[in-house]
Amino acid sequence: MKTVIRCLALILISLALAGCTTVQPWERGTLAEPGMDVDGHPIDAYVDSHVYFSREAATGGSGVGGGGCGCN
Amino acid sequence: MSLSSRLSVLLLSFFLMGSVQAEPAPDFSFIDPFTDESTSLGGLQGQVVYLDFWASWCIPCRQSFPFMNELHERYGDRGLTILAVNVDEQEADAERFLQQFPASFRILYDHDATLPPIYNVMGMPTAYLIDHNGQIEETKIGFRIDQRGEIEQRLREMLRSAGHL
């Protein structure tokens, strides 16, 4: 039984890994759309960062420039 | 020669390999949007070519387009050909961009993105400075406003050695 579970886990992991792929620089059009932004709404993100930086008593250093184009 | 010296020589040669920049630009054919005639990159030998890969979603491209317009205006009839290859899947996206940032130079469309892997494009935009013998003299990944003078200087040198300036 243990062997079957291990085999199944291995198959599942390999299937999941097969889904990983490198997005080439010229294929990032969809990723560059506003809807793909992890922060969601800009005002919401602004409020979140305001709270965060007030709590940290420091600002900046939260990310790097660039729009996912691999150019900055 | 000791092992460490051999290793150093080997490492040094790898670095030197990386610094050798001139390599032949892969040839491709296209319809010249200015004349509607079929031509190829190889057919442009004698001209200095500024080959630029761009996309509508690429933010720095908004700055590179006015610069390429300037280059086309200054050197377009003095031996410089600008080819800006769009890699958007939808031509409508490119058209929308071009309405905002009009281009006076040649725009080519590669919706299936066949050229970027051949040219090993590393970012958007990427520009290749190709000399009159069809050799890639320099590759510029990304675009920054402060690079304009440097790029123009390099192109002037290339145009001069091609006998155009």
Side-chain angles (χ1 to χ4, degrees):
Chain A
M1 189 61 191
K2 262 188 179 174
T3 327
V4 176
I5 292 171
R6 274 184 192 163
C7 279
L8 271 175
L10 200 67
I11 290 167
L12 279 175
I13 290 168
S14 41
L15 277 176
L17 285 176
C20 297
T21 180
T22 308
V23 181
Q24 299 295 344
W26 56 90
E27 296 172 337
R28 293 179 187 162
T30 310
L31 285 174
E33 281 175 16
M36 296 297 276
D37 193 345
V38 284
D39 280 336
H41 198 278
I43 294 175
D44 188 29
Y46 172 77
V47 172
D48 279 352
S49 64
H50 179 75
V51 170
Y52 177 75
F53 291 130
S54 302
R55 208 190 293 140
E56 292 287 320
T59 185
S62 59
V64 291
C69 52
C71 47
N72 286 338
Chain B
M1 196 189 266
S2 71
L3 185 65
S4 60
S5 315
R6 279 185 199 172
L7 269 176
S8 314
V9 169
L10 193 69
L11 279 173
L12 192 66
S13 54
F14 276 128
F15 280 119
L16 288 176
M17 271 166 68
S19 68
V20 175
Q21 286 178 333
E23 52 177 297
D27 198 13
F28 60 91
S29 48
F30 59 93
I31 306 285
D32 186 337
F34 284 7
T35 59
D36 279 333
E37 280 172 20
S38 180
T39 181
S40 67
L41 188 68
L44 292 173
Q45 282 216 355
Q47 293 266 311
V48 172
V49 178
Y50 186 95
L51 176 66
D52 184 75
F53 287 91
W54 67 282
S56 65
W57 45 266
C58 154
I59 306 295
C61 298
R62 297 175 189 179
Q63 293 178 326
S64 68
F65 265 57
F67 173 60
M68 287 194 284
N69 277 333
E70 277 174 34
L71 287 179
H72 180 73
E73 199 178 308
R74 279 184 210 148
Y75 308 107
D77 52 2
R78 295 161 86 182
L80 177 71
T81 301
I82 298 176
L83 300 175
V85 181
N86 174 259
V87 294
D88 274 301
E89 281 179 35
Q90 307 292 330
E91 193 166 324
D93 293 336
E95 294 304 333
R96 212 172 301 124
F97 179 94
L98 288 171
Q99 274 171 9
Q100 270 185 290
F101 306 95
S104 56
F105 43 88
R106 290 170 173 85
I107 302 283
L108 311 179
Y109 295 95
D110 184 14
H111 304 307
D112 301 326
T114 49
L115 281 179
I118 296 171
Y119 272 85
N120 195 21
V121 171
M122 298 294 282
M124 284 286 128
T126 294
Y128 297 88
L129 278 57
I130 301 167
D131 74 5
H132 61 290
N133 293 318
Q135 302 285 313
I136 298 175
E137 279 290 319
E138 209 161 321
T139 304
K140 293 276 179 202
I141 302 168
F143 181 79
R144 291 203 321 268
I145 286 280
D146 58 6
Q147 284 182 330
R148 286 178 303 181
E150 183 199 325
I151 294 172
E152 185 170 350
Q153 199 54 43
R154 192 78 190 89
L155 286 171
R156 283 185 69 89
E157 281 168 22
M158 288 163 72
L159 287 168
R160 217 171 287 132
S161 54
H164 291 298
L165 283 186

